[in-house]
Amino acid sequence: MKRDPQLPEESPEPPPRPPLSSSSSSSSSPSGQAEGAELAAPVWIFGYGSLVWRPGFEFTSRKVGFIRGYSRRFWQGDTFHRGSEKMPGRVVTLLEDCGACTWGVAYEVRGEQIAASLEYLNMREAVLGGYDTKLVKFHPQEKDAEEPILALVYIATPQNPSYLGPASEEDIAAQIIVSSGCAGHNIEYLLRLADFMRYFCPQAEDKHLFSIEEALISILPCLYYTEESLEETASVPQKSKG
């Protein structure tokens, strides 16, 4: 993630992932009402995790683009949306990383949308997620974009109680596979984020994200094989022990 690629203005819509859980999506809102109040309308909100496909609030427009100086990492624990107290899930946060950039979506909110979106995100991201707010410069991918846009972003720092920190891609994938919360399975979170990067930011690099996806895919066939083997074993008549 050391370069700022120039991407096409439009990208094809990604094929929808089948839902991995019938649970309804959970809500939340940002702890950044103060920061939002300081911004002149319109307000822009940058998302780099589940917000890229499920913002959950009304907005006027959206732009795909990136912020500089941060790397995306699956280092935040989740005991509500994609996990539980007994089995926390893994979701993304941002790590300060000079020279790197993180791709996502910025949403423009105006008028009554501002207070409603910040209230919603305060619950979703801050109260339930453990995230703090910060202002960053968002760079739209459109070629005719002139100046970067000041945007509000939610970052989970090591000081919050749900922070898990670094782990190997294999260990993160293994934790994701067994975690599920009110918003759905942790696997869905990972795959939808990978899909977004693949279809909307095809030239961008995110080795961390795709390495975890690869690790997860390498583990899943073993799980499927085990389940099929158990079913086959159960269907075979057992010889009585004489």
Side-chain angles (χ1 to χ4, degrees), residues 103-176:
W103 285 81
V105 176
Y107 298 93
E108 177 191 16
V109 291
R110 291 176 174 270
E112 295 180 354
Q113 295 175 344
I114 297 176
S117 62
L118 294 182
E119 182 180 357
Y120 167 74
L121 289 172
N122 184 59
M123 179 59 65
R124 171 173 167 173
E125 303 296 338
V127 176
L128 298 177
Y131 289 73
D132 293 326
T133 54
K134 190 171 184 178
L135 292 177
V136 294
K137 291 182 178 180
F138 169 76
H139 301 265
Q141 71 174 6
E142 289 95 334
K143 294 179 180 178
D144 59 350
E146 297 181 357
E147 297 293 332
I149 300 169
L150 195 63
L152 188 69
V153 68
Y154 294 83
I155 301 176
T157 66
Q159 286 70 43
N160 85 85
S162 296
Y163 193 79
L164 296 178
S168 69
E169 282 79 5
E170 292 74 18
D171 287 344
I172 293 176
Q175 185 171 353
I176 288 174

Side-chain angles (χ1 to χ4, degrees), residues 14-178:
R17 288 276 188 183
L20 300 182
S21 170
S22 58
S23 302
S24 59
S25 298
S26 61
S27 65
S28 18
S29 10
S31 62
Q33 294 183 1
E35 289 87 340
E38 295 173 359
L39 293 173
V43 172
W44 289 84
I45 300 167
F46 177 69
Y48 55 93
S50 60
L51 287 179
V52 303
W53 74 85
R54 185 178 63 84
F57 55 85
E58 292 186 0
F59 55 90
T60 300
S61 66
R62 67 191 293 273
K63 294 178 181 290
V64 174
F66 63 90
I67 61 174
R68 290 194 175 103
Y70 292 92
S71 294
R72 177 168 33 215
R73 292 289 183 269
F74 275 82
W75 289 2
Q76 173 69 357
D78 189 334
T79 60
F80 185 82
H81 302 295
R82 301 289 175 172
S84 63
E85 292 289 344
K86 294 183 178 180
M87 200 167 290
R90 283 262 184 176
V91 292
V92 293
T93 184
L94 294 178
L95 173 69
E96 290 191 16
D97 186 358
C98 182
C101 66
T102 295
W103 285 81
V105 176
Y107 298 93
E108 177 191 16
V109 291
R110 291 176 174 270
E112 295 180 354
Q113 295 175 344
I114 297 176
S117 62
L118 294 182
E119 182 180 357
Y120 167 74
L121 289 172
N122 184 59
M123 179 59 65
R124 171 173 167 173
E125 303 296 338
V127 176
L128 298 177
Y131 289 73
D132 293 326
T133 54
K134 190 171 184 178
L135 292 177
V136 294
K137 291 182 178 180
F138 169 76
H139 301 265
Q141 71 174 6
E142 289 95 334
K143 294 179 180 178
D144 59 350
E146 297 181 357
E147 297 293 332
I149 300 169
L150 195 63
L152 188 69
V153 68
Y154 294 83
I155 301 176
T157 66
Q159 286 70 43
N160 85 85
S162 296
Y163 193 79
L164 296 178
S168 69
E169 282 79 5
E170 292 74 18
D171 287 344
I172 293 176
Q175 185 171 353
I176 288 174
I177 286 175
V178 298

Side-chain angles (χ1 to χ4, degrees), residues 151-241:
L152 188 69
V153 68
Y154 294 83
I155 301 176
T157 66
Q159 286 70 43
N160 85 85
S162 296
Y163 193 79
L164 296 178
S168 69
E169 282 79 5
E170 292 74 18
D171 287 344
I172 293 176
Q175 185 171 353
I176 288 174
I177 286 175
V178 298
S179 300
S180 182
C182 296
H185 204 287
N186 208 177
I187 295 176
E188 179 187 29
Y189 179 98
L190 168 65
L191 297 184
R192 287 191 183 277
L193 186 53
D195 276 354
F196 165 79
M197 288 296 297
R198 188 173 289 114
Y199 289 97
F200 288 94
C201 319
Q203 298 179 20
E205 298 178 1
D206 197 325
K207 183 179 179 181
H208 177 75
L209 170 64
F210 290 118
S211 294
I212 295 172
E213 183 190 35
E214 291 177 4
L216 181 140
I217 292 173
S218 69
I219 296 172
L220 284 178
C222 300
L223 299 180
Y224 290 144
Y225 177 77
T226 301
E227 292 176 359
E228 292 174 358
S229 299
L230 291 174
E231 291 177 359
E232 292 175 1
T233 301
S235 64
V236 176
Q238 301 296 312
K239 293 182 180 180
S240 60
K241 296 181 180 180

